[in-house]
C-alpha cells in the first residue's frame, strides 16, 4: 500500500470502489464484500467498514482496519482516524496522531492539530502555535476560530488590524498569503463575536466592493441581527445576487412568502439579469406550490440564453414536475428551431424524460438511438437511466457494457443492483496507467503551465 497511489485513486475515483458505490453495496446487504475489500487496499471500503465497527462498539477492530492506511503516512487516512477517535471521546489520541504528522512537516497538519487542541481545552496552546502564521490564509482563519476559546480575541484583532494596513496589489487574489480584504473579514468576525456589531458592519463596508466573500459576510451578519432595512438596502445594490438570496431566505423563515418573492423581483434586481438568481426564485416558487410561475421565470432565461444546457435542464425538470411534458417539449422544440434546428447530444438528452413521460420509455429510447450521437459512450448513461427507471436494469447494463471503460461507475452500480457484485468489482478495479505528473510546482512560461 502506497500513499501516492492511494491519494491518486481516491482523488480521481479511478481503479477503486467510489464512496457512493460502497454505500450501494451496504444498502444491498453486501457487508461482507465491503469488509473483504477494506483489507485489500480499497480506502472507501475501509473507511465505511471502520465507521460501522465503531458504531458497534468495536473501536479496536476499526482502528486495525485503518492501520495499514495510516502506516503509509497518507494525510487523508490520518484525518479520518482522528475524526473517528474524537467521535469516540478519545480526543487525546486524535491529537497525538495529528501531532506526529505535524512534526513530520505535513503542510495541512498544523491547522488540524490546533483545531483539535482548541476543541479539547487547549486553546491557549493552539493560539500560541498559530500566532506566527497570521500571514497564511487557512491558519489565520484557524487562529480567529480558536481565539475566543483562548480568551485572546483582542490580540488576534490587533494582528489582523496590522494586516489591513497592507495592500499587495489591485488584485488581492494574486497574494499567496492573507490579503487585506480577507483580514478585514476576519476582523469583522471577531468584532461581531464581541458584540460590536456596528463596528463589524463598518469594517465590511470599508473593504473592497468587489470582494464577494465580504459582501456575503455582510449580508449574513445583517440577517443574523435582523437588520432588515439595512439588509434590503444591501440587497438592492448587490449584483452578485447573494444578498437577495439571504434576504429571501430570512423572509421565508419568517413566513413572508410574498415578501421573499418581492425581494427576488425588485425593480432591475438580479433576477432580471442573473440566471442563478432566477434559478433560486424558480426553486422558491416550486417549493411553495407555484410551479407554473417557476416555469415562467425559467422560460424567460431559456429564451434569453438559448443553448445554456443547465437552464434548459432546469426548465424541463419543472415542466416534468408540473405534469406538462407536452408543453416542455414544444418549448424545447421552439428553442432548437431558433438555434437552427440541430442539437448536439448535450442539449438533446434533456428532452428524453419529457418524451418518456409523454410517449413512453420505448419511444424515448428509440428517439435517443436515432440521434447522430445516440451510440456514443456519453449517450449510453442517459439511455441506461431511462431503462433502469423503467425496471429494465439488465438492458441498462447491456447498453453500458458497450462503453464500459467510459461508464464504469454507472455500469458497476447497475451490476450491484442485479447482485452481480464480482462483475461490478472487475469493472471498477480495472487499473489504467497513471498519467505523468504535469507539474513540479515551479512556474513555467511555456505550456502546459
Amino acid at each position: 500500500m502506497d500513499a501516492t497511489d492511494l491519494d491518486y485513486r481516491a482523488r480521481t475515483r479511478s481503479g477503486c470502489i467510489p464512496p457512493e458505490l460502497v454505500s450501494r453495496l451496504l444498502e444491498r446487504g453486501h457487508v461482507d464484500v465491503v469488509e473483504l475489500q477494506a483489507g485489500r487496499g480499497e480506502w472507501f471500503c475501509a473507511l465505511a467498514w471502520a465507521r460501522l465497527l465503531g458504531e458497534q462498539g468495536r473501536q479496536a477492530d476499526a482502528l486495525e482496519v485503518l492501520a495499514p492506511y495510516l502506516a503509509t503516512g497518507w494525510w487523508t487516512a490520518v484525518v479520518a482516524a482522528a475524526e473517528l477517535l474524537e467521535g469516540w471521546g478519545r480526543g487525546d489520541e486524535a491529537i497525538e496522531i495529528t501531532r506526529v504528522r505535524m512534526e513530520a512537516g505535513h503542510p495541512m497538519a498544523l491547522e488540524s492539530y490546533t483545531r483539535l487542541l482548541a476543541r479539547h481545552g487547549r486553546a491557549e496552546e493552539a493560539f500560541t502555535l498559530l500566532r506566527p502564521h497570521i500571514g497564511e490564509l487557512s491558519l489565520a482563519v484557524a487562529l480567529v476560530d480558536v481565539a475566543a476559546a483562548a480568551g485572546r480575541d483582542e490580540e488576534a484583532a490587533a494582528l489582523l488590524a496590522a494586516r489591513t494596513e497592507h495592500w499587495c496589489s489591485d488584485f488581492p487574489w494574486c497574494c499567496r498569503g492573507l490579503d487585506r480584504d480577507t483580514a478585514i473579514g476576519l476582523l469583522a468576525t471577531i468584532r461581531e463575536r464581541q458584540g460590536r456589531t456596528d463596528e463589524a458592519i463598518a469594517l465590511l463596508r470599508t473593504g473592497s466592493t468587489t470582494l464577494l466573500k465580504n459582501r456575503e459576510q455582510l449580508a449574513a451578519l445583517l440577517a443574523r441581527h435582523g437588520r432588515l432595512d439595512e439588509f434590503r438596502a444591501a440587497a438592492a445594490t448587490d449584483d452578485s445576487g447573494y444578498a437577495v438570496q439571504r434576504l429571501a431566505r430570512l423572509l421565508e423563515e419568517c413566513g413572508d412568502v410574498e415578501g421573499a418573492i418581492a425581494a427576488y423581483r425588485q425593480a432591475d434586481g438580479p433576477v432580471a439579469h442573473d440566471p442563478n438568481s432566477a434559478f433560486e426564485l424558480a426553486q422558491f416558487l416550486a417549493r411553495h406550490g407555484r410551479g407554473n410561475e417557476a416555469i415562467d421565470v425559467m422560460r424567460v432565461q431559456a429564451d434569453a440564453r438559448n443553448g445554456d444546457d443547465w437552464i434548459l435542464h432546469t426548465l424541463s425538470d419543472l415542466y416534468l414536475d408540473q405534469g406538462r411534458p407536452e408543453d416542455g417539449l414544444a418549448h424545447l422544440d421552439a428553442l432548437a428551431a431558433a438555434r437552427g434546428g440541430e442539437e448536439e447530444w448535450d442539449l438533446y438528452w434533456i428532452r428524453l424524460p419529457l418524451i418518456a413521460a409523454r410517449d413512453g420509455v420505448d419511444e424515448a429510447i428509440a428517439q435517443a438511438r436515432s440521434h447522430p450521437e445516440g451510440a456514443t459512450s456519453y449517450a449510453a448513461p442517459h439511455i441506461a437511466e431511462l431503462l433502469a427507471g423503467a425496471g429494465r436494469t439488465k438492458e441498462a447494463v447491456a447498453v453500458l457494457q458497450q462503453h464500459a471503460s467510459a461508464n464504469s461507475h454507472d455500469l458497476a452500480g447497475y451490476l450491484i443492483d442485479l447482485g452481480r457484485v464480482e462483475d461490478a468489482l472487475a469493472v471498477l478495479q480495472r487499473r489504467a496507467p497513471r498519467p505523468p505528473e504535469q507539474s513540479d510546482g515551479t512556474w513555467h512560461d511555456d505550456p502546459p503551465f
Side-chain angles (χ1 to χ4, degrees):
M1 205 175 289
D2 171 77
T4 302
D5 181 60
L6 284 168
D7 189 67
Y8 176 79
R9 287 193 288 137
R11 184 165 37 84
T12 63
R13 303 294 202 263
S14 61
C16 70
I17 308 172
E20 64 274 12
L21 293 185
V22 174
S23 298
R24 204 150 168 171
L25 285 166
L26 292 173
E27 288 165 5
R28 303 292 188 274
H30 300 293
V31 180
D32 56 332
V33 174
V34 173
E35 179 183 5
L36 180 64
Q37 294 298 321
R40 293 183 173 180
E42 287 287 350
W43 165 246
F44 296 113
C45 286
L47 182 57
W49 181 232
R51 286 172 175 162
L52 280 174
L53 290 171
E55 289 168 6
Q56 296 168 8
R58 298 168 58 188
Q59 296 174 6
D61 292 336
L63 292 176
E64 188 175 339
V65 169
L66 296 182
Y69 301 87
L70 283 168
T72 68
W74 186 35
W75 177 243
T76 300
V78 173
V79 171
E83 287 176 353
L84 286 175
L85 286 164
E86 188 178 20
W88 299 334
R90 296 163 64 174
D92 288 344
E93 292 172 71
I95 289 169
E96 178 60 20
I97 65 169
T98 309
R99 181 193 61 78
V100 170
R101 293 303 296 149
M102 181 189 69
E103 293 181 351
H106 193 282
M108 298 173 66
L110 177 58
E111 180 182 356
S112 294
Y113 178 65
T114 50
R115 288 185 180 279
L116 272 167
L117 288 175
R119 288 198 295 271
H120 292 274
R122 296 165 64 181
E124 277 276 356
E125 184 180 346
F127 188 93
T128 301
L129 286 168
L130 288 166
R131 194 183 189 285
H133 301 278
I134 186 65
E136 300 173 44
L137 179 56
S138 65
L139 298 180
V141 173
L143 181 139
V144 169
D145 290 343
V146 305
R152 297 172 76 170
D153 266 347
E154 276 306 319
E155 187 175 347
L159 292 168
L160 291 166
R163 302 291 301 186
T164 65
E165 297 171 4
H166 301 290
W167 183 252
C168 67
S169 75
D170 292 332
F171 304 98
W173 53 87
C174 77
C175 300
R176 291 184 179 275
L178 179 66
D179 64 88
R180 175 178 177 269
D181 279 328
T182 303
I184 286 173
L186 292 173
L187 180 55
T189 296
I190 292 175
R191 294 309 184 210
E192 182 189 8
R193 193 160 67 205
Q194 293 175 317
R196 296 158 66 172
T197 306
D198 289 337
E199 191 174 340
I201 291 170
L203 278 164
L204 292 170
R205 285 177 171 158
T206 61
S208 169
T209 57
T210 63
L211 191 67
L212 178 61
K213 185 175 179 181
N214 281 11
R215 284 190 288 170
E216 291 178 350
Q217 185 177 349
L218 175 60
L221 188 157
L222 293 171
R224 280 193 295 274
H225 294 275
R227 299 173 71 150
L228 275 178
D229 290 340
E230 293 170 82
F231 202 171
R232 291 181 195 278
T237 59
D238 178 21
D239 57 7
S240 75
Y242 179 83
V244 169
Q245 292 170 24
R246 287 299 300 252
L247 175 59
R249 195 177 309 150
L250 177 63
L251 292 168
E252 182 182 18
E253 290 169 357
C254 295
D256 186 0
V257 172
E258 293 302 327
I261 294 171
Y264 277 117
R265 285 179 162 155
Q266 59 189 318
D268 200 37
V271 166
H273 309 288
D274 176 23
N276 295 306
S277 293
F279 171 82
E280 293 292 335
L281 173 57
Q283 297 299 303
F284 180 92
L285 289 165
R287 193 161 61 245
H288 288 275
R290 297 164 69 165
N292 288 326
E293 292 177 64
I295 288 173
D296 292 339
V297 169
M298 293 310 296
R299 278 178 63 105
V300 171
Q301 295 299 321
D303 292 342
R305 296 171 173 80
N306 191 356
D308 280 12
D309 57 349
W310 74 270
I311 292 175
L312 298 182
H313 196 179
T314 300
L315 179 61
S316 66
D317 281 348
L318 287 168
Y319 273 119
L320 199 60
D321 291 342
Q322 293 305 305
R324 296 171 56 188
E326 180 75 37
D327 294 337
L329 287 167
H331 195 188
L332 291 179
D333 287 341
L335 292 170
R339 293 193 300 272
E342 293 186 7
E343 284 189 309
E344 294 184 355
W345 183 261
D346 63 343
L347 294 179
Y348 184 82
W349 76 268
I350 293 169
R351 69 183 56 238
L352 296 179
L354 294 169
I355 296 172
R358 185 189 67 179
D359 303 320
V361 171
D362 286 330
E363 179 61 24
I365 291 170
Q367 292 200 31
R369 285 175 167 157
S370 69
H371 188 275
E373 298 168 82
T376 60
S377 62
Y378 47 85
H382 300 119
I383 296 173
E385 185 176 2
L386 289 170
L387 289 163
R392 295 156 63 177
T393 308
K394 289 183 179 179
E395 293 176 66
V397 165
V399 169
L400 291 170
Q401 281 178 327
Q402 299 173 52
H403 311 279
S405 61
N407 297 293
S408 59
H409 289 186
D410 289 326
L411 174 56
Y414 292 132
L415 287 168
I416 290 169
D417 292 343
L418 292 173
R420 296 171 56 185
V421 175
E422 291 301 321
D423 292 338
L425 295 181
V427 168
L428 292 169
Q429 294 173 332
R430 188 178 297 129
R431 297 290 187 93
R434 279 178 56 184
E437 294 294 332
Q438 296 296 309
S439 171
D440 60 3
T442 57
W443 180 268
H444 296 281
D445 292 322
D446 298 320
F449 297 104

